C-alpha cells in the first residue's frame, strides 16, 4: 500500500450541523500525526473542477460551534460519470492528495465507494446527515441538533395549537426515513408520528382524531415525515380535512431550518470522535469504511453496509408515542 502523506477532506450532499466540528477534528488529528491536509471545496465538485486549498491547523479555528460547512457542499452530477471521476482523480493526484475523508450521507458515501474501487484510493467516510439513515451507527452527525431544532419549533406550535384548539400537521425532513419524525414526536409529546416505514399509521391517526381528539384533548400535533409518495403533511392534512371537516387543521413545514444552527454538545462530541477515528482508520490501513459509533464504541462500517439503510425503526418507540399520547 502506498504511503499516505497528504489527506484531502470534503463535505458533500445536504449540510448537517457538526460538519465543521468534524472538519476540525480530521484536520487537527491529521496534522498531529504528521500528515498534510487539503480542503476540497463544494464536495466532489471541488475535485472535478479543481478547487483545492491547503489546510493548516488555523484553517479550522473557531468553527466547532458553527452550523453549515466551511468547505461548502454540493450535489455533483459530473462525479456520477466516469469522465467526471477521471478529472477528479487527476486533480487529486496533481494536488498530491493520497487519501480522502468524505463527510456526507448515503449519496456521498455511495460516490466514495465507486471512486475508491475505480482508482484504488484509500477513502474513509464520516456519517454527516440530519436524516440518521445510515447503517452501522447509532447516530449520524447533525441528527441530534436537527432533533432539537424540531423540538423547539414544535414546542412553539403547541402554544398556538392549544390556544386555538387546532390540529397541526408538522412536516419534518428525513429523506425516506422516519427517525427525525419518530424521535421528535416522543420529545415533543406529539399525538402521532407518520413515518414512511409504517404506512398503516394513517388509519390509526383517523381513529385517534375521531375518538380521542374532542373527548380528551382540545388540540393535537401530528409529526409527519416528508414523503413525496403521500404528499407529506399537506397530502395527509387534505385527506383528514375531507373526512373531518369539523377540525380546524393547519400544516407547518419546517423545511431547511432543520439543517441549520449551532451543533449541540452531542453532535460536537460525536463529530470530534469520528473525525479523529477517521485518521486512526487511515493509519491502520482501513479503506472503504465509514466510521460509526454503536453502543458507545467506534466501529468501522463497510460503505456497502452503511448505505443500505437497513437499521430499521424501533417499534417500541412507535408504541411509546401511542401510549404516551392517550
Ligand atoms: O439529506 C438531508 C436532507 O435535508 C433530507 O432530509 C431532505 O430530503 C433533503 O436533504 C433536501 O435536500 P435539498 O437541500 O437538496 O432540498
Amino acid at each position: 500500500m502506498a504511503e499516505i502523506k497528504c489527506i484531502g477532506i470534503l463535505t458533500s450532499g445536504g449540510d448537517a450541523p457538526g460538519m465543521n466540528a468534524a472538519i476540525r477534528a480530521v484536520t487537527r488529528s491529521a496534522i498531529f500525526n504528521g500528515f498534510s491536509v487539503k480542503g476540497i471545496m463544494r464536495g466532489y465538485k471541488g475535485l472535478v473542477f479543481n478547487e483545492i486549498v491547503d489546510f493548516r491547523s488555523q484553517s479550522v479555528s473557531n468553527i466547532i460551534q458553527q452550523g453549515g460547512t466551511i468547505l461548502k457542499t454540493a450535489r455533483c452530477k459530473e462525479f456520477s460519470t466516469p469522465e467526471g471521476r477521471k478529472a477528479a482523480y487527476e486533480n487529486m493526484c496533481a494536488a498530491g492528495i493520497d487519501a480522502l475523508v468524505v463527510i456526507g450521507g448515503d449519496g456521498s458515501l455511495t460516490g466514495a465507494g465507486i471512486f475508491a474501487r475505480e482508482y484504488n484510493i484509500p477513502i474513509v467516510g464520516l456519517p454527516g446527515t440530519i436524516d440518521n439513515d445510515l447503517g452501522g451507527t447509532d447516530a449520524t452527525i447533525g441528527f441530534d441538533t436537527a432533533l432539537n431544532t424540531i423540538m423547539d419549533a414544535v414546542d412553539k406550535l403547541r402554544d398556538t395549537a392549544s390556544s386555538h384548539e387546532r390540529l397541526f400537521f408538522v412536516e419534518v425532513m428525513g429523506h425516506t426515513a422516519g427517525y427525525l419524525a419518530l424521535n421528535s414526536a416522543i420529545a415533543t409529546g406529539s399525538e402521532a408520528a407518520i413515518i414512511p416505514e409504517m404506512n398503516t399509521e394513517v388509519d390509526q391517526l383517523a381513529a385517534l382524531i375521531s375518538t380521542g381528539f374532542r373527548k380528551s384533548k382540545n388540540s393535537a400535533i401530528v409529526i409527519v415525515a416528508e414523503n413525496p409518495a403521500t404528499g407529506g403533511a399537506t397530502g395527509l392534512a387534505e385527506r383528514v380535512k375531507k373526512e373531518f371537516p369539523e377540525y380546524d387543521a393547519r400544516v407547518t413545514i419546517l423545511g431547511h431550518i432543520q439543517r441549520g444552527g449551532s451543533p449541540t454538545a452531542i453532535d460536537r462530541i460525536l463529530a470530534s470522535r469520528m473525525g479523529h477515528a477517521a485518521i486512526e482508520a487511515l493509519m491502520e490501513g482501513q479503506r472503504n469504511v465509514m466510521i460509526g459509533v454503536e453502543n458507545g464504541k467506534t466501529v468501522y462500517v463497510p460503505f456497502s453496509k452503511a448505505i443500505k439503510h437497513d437499521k430499521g425503526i424501533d417499534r417500541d418507540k412507535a408504541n411509546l408515542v401511542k401510549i404516551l399520547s392517550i
Side-chain angles (χ1 to χ4, degrees):
M1 201 185 301
E3 195 196 347
I4 298 172
K5 292 195 184 114
C6 175
I7 297 170
I9 320 171
L10 62 86
T11 48
S12 162
D15 62 342
M19 277 185 165
N20 279 327
I23 294 168
R24 172 180 177 270
V26 171
T27 302
R28 296 224 166 131
S29 295
I31 292 171
F32 178 84
N33 285 291
F35 299 102
S36 64
V37 179
K38 304 246 178 189
I40 299 155
M41 302 301 298
R42 299 180 178 79
Y44 294 114
K45 266 200 170 150
L47 278 182
V48 177
F49 297 104
N50 205 15
E51 277 191 89
I52 300 171
V53 294
D54 289 335
F55 256 30
R56 293 173 301 135
S57 179
Q58 292 87 331
S59 311
V60 294
S61 293
N62 205 15
I63 65 167
I64 195 169
Q65 76 281 20
Q66 290 174 26
T69 158
I70 60 162
L71 287 173
K72 313 293 180 197
T73 184
R75 303 189 201 271
C76 176
K77 276 195 222 103
E78 293 80 1
F79 193 71
S80 60
T81 67
E83 298 75 34
R85 290 192 296 276
K86 184 167 180 282
Y89 181 65
E90 284 166 3
N91 287 329
M92 184 181 145
C93 293
I97 296 172
D98 311 300
L100 289 176
V101 176
V102 171
I103 308 168
D106 57 353
S108 311
L109 299 185
T110 302
I114 295 168
F115 195 42
R117 276 195 304 279
E118 218 166 36
Y119 290 99
N120 194 24
I121 307 162
I123 305 185
V124 170
L126 294 188
T129 168
I130 63 166
D131 300 333
N132 197 25
D133 59 348
L134 291 168
T137 189
D138 294 338
T140 54
I141 297 165
F143 176 62
D144 184 66
T145 307
L147 212 45
N148 278 281
T149 301
I150 296 168
M151 189 175 72
D152 189 47
V154 173
D155 286 351
K156 291 186 167 90
L157 288 171
R158 177 72 77 182
D159 292 343
T160 179
S162 154
S163 304
H164 283 266
E165 302 187 291
R166 279 174 173 159
L167 168 62
F168 265 83
F169 294 94
V170 183
E171 183 174 301
V172 302
M173 281 185 168
H175 193 208
T176 52
Y179 300 105
L180 280 173
L182 186 55
N183 286 283
S184 62
I186 295 172
T188 56
S190 290
E191 277 60 36
I194 305 295
I195 57 175
E197 294 86 345
M198 297 179 76
N199 289 332
T200 51
E201 289 292 282
V202 176
D203 300 340
Q204 285 149 11
L205 176 71
L208 168 110
I209 292 169
S210 59
T211 57
F213 185 67
R214 287 292 173 199
K215 252 191 241 157
S216 56
K217 300 191 177 202
N218 70 354
S219 67
I221 296 211
V222 176
I223 308 283
V224 187
E226 64 177 350
N227 187 349
T230 61
T234 310
L236 184 67
E238 268 160 22
R239 272 159 39 215
V240 168
K241 273 185 199 167
K242 245 186 235 152
E243 274 186 59
F244 307 98
E246 65 276 28
Y247 297 136
D248 197 9
R250 292 289 186 277
V251 173
T252 298
I253 297 174
L254 293 184
H256 287 80
I257 198 163
Q258 294 162 92
R259 290 227 300 253
S262 180
T264 57
I266 285 179
D267 273 331
R268 295 181 197 196
I269 294 165
L270 184 69
S272 300
R273 279 182 73 187
M274 286 180 161
H276 174 65
I279 299 304
E280 288 199 321
L282 285 172
M283 291 195 302
E284 285 170 19
Q286 293 285 342
R287 44 177 65 207
N288 292 344
V289 291
M290 181 196 83
I291 304 297
V293 171
E294 274 185 324
N295 300 320
K297 295 260 177 304
T298 302
V299 290
Y300 299 145
V301 189
F303 285 151
S304 53
K305 178 172 182 219
I307 61 180
K308 228 177 185 170
H309 180 24
D310 61 355
K311 207 155 52 175
I313 274 285
D314 188 340
R315 300 268 149 176
D316 289 347
K317 280 189 175 170
N319 239 348
L320 193 59
V321 176
K322 261 187 243 158
I323 294 167
L324 299 186
S325 67
I326 53 172

